[in-house]
Amino acid sequence: MGKFLFGTVALALLIGIAFQTGLADPLVKWQVQSALEESGVAEERAECMSDRMVDRLSLFQLYKLQQGMKAREGEPEDGYGLGELVKRLRRVGDGKAVAVVTTSAGLCAIGIG
């Protein structure tokens, strides 16, 4: 039991250090990019946006974005318009996260992201 507890604590510490130092950024970037692509963003634009989002947002902010953008009961899974997008962004409740998403989308769309 003692070895298991020590191993679990050591693993949690290593994971925390990896996230804090940026060693886990490629994994986080891949997850953000995959989520953007699944929501209908083109691969090239999703790659550009995920770079900017991982650089500018914390893991907690990225998690809040993921949770806020998920379809809830009665909402379309995909193929929704600007009104639905704005509604989902509002429920995130984090102005900085919303600003990073919108500016990243705009800058990547015009090719300067």
Side-chain angles (χ1 to χ4, degrees):
M1 179 70 172
K3 288 182 181 181
F4 176 75
L5 183 60
F6 177 76
T8 304
V9 170
L11 181 62
L13 184 62
L14 287 173
I15 291 171
I17 290 170
F19 279 110
Q20 194 67 17
T21 60
L23 293 174
D25 281 355
L27 175 63
V28 174
K29 181 194 171 301
W30 175 77
Q31 289 178 326
V32 171
Q33 182 177 344
S34 296
L36 289 168
E37 289 175 7
E38 286 175 15
S39 68
V41 177
E43 182 179 347
E44 186 176 310
R45 189 172 301 164
E47 182 177 355
C48 174
M49 288 178 66
S50 63
D51 282 336
R52 293 178 51 81
M53 291 168 66
V54 169
D55 286 345
R56 290 163 177 77
L57 297 174
S58 69
L59 285 175
F60 182 66
Q61 288 173 310
L62 290 168
Y63 176 77
K64 283 184 0 184
L65 269 171
Q66 178 191 31
Q67 296 305 307
M69 297 301 290
K70 283 184 180 177
R72 294 188 179 164
E73 188 175 328
E75 294 178 342
E77 290 288 327
D78 55 4
Y80 51 85
L82 183 61
E84 182 70 21
L85 176 65
V86 169
K87 181 176 94 173
R88 292 182 187 194
L89 282 172
R90 279 189 182 150
R91 71 178 173 217
V92 170
D94 185 335
K96 180 181 178 187
V98 171
V100 169
V101 170
T102 54
T103 57
S104 295
L107 291 172
C108 292
I110 59 175
I112 59 173

